Amino acid sequence: MQDSLSVNDLDAWARRPSTSLRRDRFGLVMAGVEIIASSPVVDYVAWYTEGFFARGDSPVRARLFIHDVNPELIGSVKDARLTPPLRRAVLPTSPDTVCFVDDTHSTVHLFLAAATRDEPMLVAVRILRALVLRALLGDGCPFFHAACFTLRGVGVALIGRRMAGKTTLLLHCLDSLRALLVSNDKFALVQDTGSDAVDTLGFPIQIGIRAGSVLALGDGPLRASLMRRWSQRFSDVGAHRDDLETRLGIRPQELAAAADSTVMPQCRLGVAIEPCLDPDAVTPRLERLNEDERRTLWTHNLLRRPAEVFPQQAALAGPANETELRIPKVPAYRLIQPPAALALTSRVIEDLMCRVSVDG
């Protein structure tokens, strides 16, 4: 590898005769990324994003070159002098990865050593996802710190402060109501042309599940699957009951399959619910939010900057695009529930969704 690198050098190096690369497209209808990589990497990306990202027909908004290099060459690549418009991008969770960005041509060059193992290839998935999210942010799509599922064909946003029980409630709805998983932790909203309706977009983001959320589930296949995974990764789940930091990471597709459900990458949003734990509450109940409360709920959970949407890949972000937030015109409720009342809570949610389905 030479001492300095230009865009042309990287393009030529990727196309050298000794390299066998595949081209494929992954992404959403409005934001696709072309990947140029070896077959194992492309296949891994396809497996990880299955059900969320379409393949082959998305309009290209960015390109991702993935260079598989010998481990001894990584150091020289990392120290190479870059010729503009190339710049280095530091990825905090992948310090040994070399990543160069060409903003002029919306292209990322990722250098991976041993790109046949899951961890290096997972970096490629994260960058792909960040490039899709970057395109959506550039189009003015708002992102929120929230989870989402569908029930009876209606999208339900679980939105609220950290530690409010969103993931636990999501798990319970997947398990007991056979809801379909859209997203956990964050989603984007896309305005429907010509109406006030909005669609929720989910993403292939690993879901972090605390031990307390697993233990809150009723006996059944989902609880058994998560407890088995927990013991394989850590230790007995009961020993981590009050541990708020340790989380079991699981692909959303695998979580849905364990609950005998599936993923729904996009849905029409119909209602928002703010979970609130109240140790003094006797039974769960719903309180409809007024207009000011509804606006505050959405505004306080808006992710305003790229670093908030994809913090570990923020170095890939483009220029910030400030757009006016349009509050979704869907009813919003505060769900007040006592701890360990999820069986009753699911009935309250199911009753609400029956009413929403009829009204809709």
Side-chain angles (χ1 to χ4, degrees):
M1 180 66 68
Q2 55 202 66
D3 294 335
S4 64
L5 290 173
S6 68
V7 170
N8 290 336
D9 292 332
L10 292 177
D11 286 348
W13 194 60
R15 295 185 175 91
R16 66 192 189 281
S18 60
T19 303
S20 177
L21 298 178
R22 284 171 53 189
R23 290 176 176 266
D24 215 329
R25 296 180 186 180
F26 295 92
L28 305 170
V29 174
M30 67 290 289
V33 176
E34 183 180 39
I35 291 182
I36 303 94
S38 62
S39 290
V41 176
V42 175
D43 291 340
Y44 183 90
V45 169
W47 168 76
Y48 202 98
T49 63
E50 183 181 11
F52 285 97
F53 287 168
R55 187 176 182 182
D57 57 355
S58 303
V60 174
R61 302 284 293 274
R63 293 190 306 165
L64 173 58
F65 276 100
I66 302 173
H67 308 274
D68 187 6
V69 299
N70 295 327
E72 59 269 18
L73 289 179
I74 284 290
S76 62
V77 174
K78 184 180 295 186
D79 296 334
R81 180 173 56 85
L82 302 183
T83 301
L86 285 178
R87 63 176 175 87
R88 285 180 174 81
V90 177
L91 309 178
T93 57
S94 308
D96 296 330
T97 298
V98 180
C99 186
F100 301 149
V101 181
D102 173 7
D103 291 305
T104 302
H105 301 96
S106 298
T107 301
V108 173
H109 292 268
L110 175 66
F111 292 82
L112 297 179
T116 56
R117 294 185 292 112
D118 283 3
E119 186 54 36
M121 290 194 288
L122 186 56
V123 178
V125 173
R126 292 168 180 159
I127 292 180
L128 163 66
R129 187 174 61 224
L131 292 175
V132 172
L133 302 186
R134 167 179 166 165
L136 294 175
L137 284 170
D139 289 343
C141 297
F143 281 74
F144 297 91
H145 178 217
C148 184
F149 64 86
T150 68
L151 188 61
R152 296 179 177 271
V154 178
V156 182
L158 302 178
I159 182 169
R161 60 182 178 81
R162 186 174 180 268
M163 303 297 295
K166 296 188 296 295
T167 300
T168 303
L169 184 56
L170 173 66
L171 290 176
H172 198 74
C173 290
L174 293 176
D175 186 41
S176 61
L177 299 180
R178 294 296 184 265
L180 304 182
L181 175 62
V182 178
S183 194
N184 182 68
D185 192 49
K186 60 176 65 75
F187 59 65
L189 290 182
V190 177
Q191 191 74 33
D192 183 52
T193 304
S195 74
D196 291 328
V198 291
D199 286 347
T200 303
L201 298 181
F203 301 97
I205 300 175
Q206 191 177 68
I207 298 176
I209 302 173
R210 298 183 181 91
S213 297
V214 177
L215 294 171
L217 291 168
D219 290 335
L222 179 57
R223 178 185 170 117
S225 174
L226 293 178
M227 290 184 71
R228 182 172 59 255
R229 288 171 178 268
W230 191 280
S231 63
Q232 292 170 348
R233 176 71 192 279
F234 304 110
S235 60
D236 179 64
V237 67
H240 295 266
R241 179 184 297 271
D242 299 320
D243 184 350
L244 300 181
E245 299 302 323
T246 304
R247 302 187 186 191
L248 173 69
I250 183 172
R251 287 171 62 235
Q253 301 95 325
E254 294 178 67
L255 175 63
D260 195 23
S261 180
T262 186
V263 296
M264 178 72 67
Q266 183 171 346
C267 71
R268 181 59 49 90
L269 184 63
V271 66
I273 295 177
E274 178 188 20
C276 294
L277 292 176
D278 183 357
D280 297 326
V282 177
T283 57
R285 68 183 188 276
L286 288 168
E287 296 179 349
R288 181 152 182 169
L289 303 184
N290 61 36
E291 181 61 25
D292 288 341
E293 292 172 324
R294 187 173 68 90
R295 180 172 293 275
T296 297
L297 177 65
W298 285 103
T299 303
H300 282 187
N301 290 279
L302 174 67
L303 302 177
R304 297 182 179 277
R305 295 178 295 275
E308 296 174 325
V309 178
F310 46 104
Q312 303 305 328
Q313 294 81 38
L316 305 178
N321 185 13
E322 294 291 336
T323 58
E324 181 181 357
L325 173 62
R326 296 180 61 182
I327 304 298
K329 293 186 176 181
V330 298
Y333 298 85
R334 181 175 295 115
L335 174 61
I336 300 173
Q337 54 182 333
L342 291 175
L344 294 175
T345 300
S346 63
R347 296 175 193 168
V348 171
I349 293 178
E350 188 171 34
D351 180 63
L352 171 65
M353 299 317 298
C354 288
R355 302 199 308 269
V356 170
S357 299
V358 172
D359 294 342

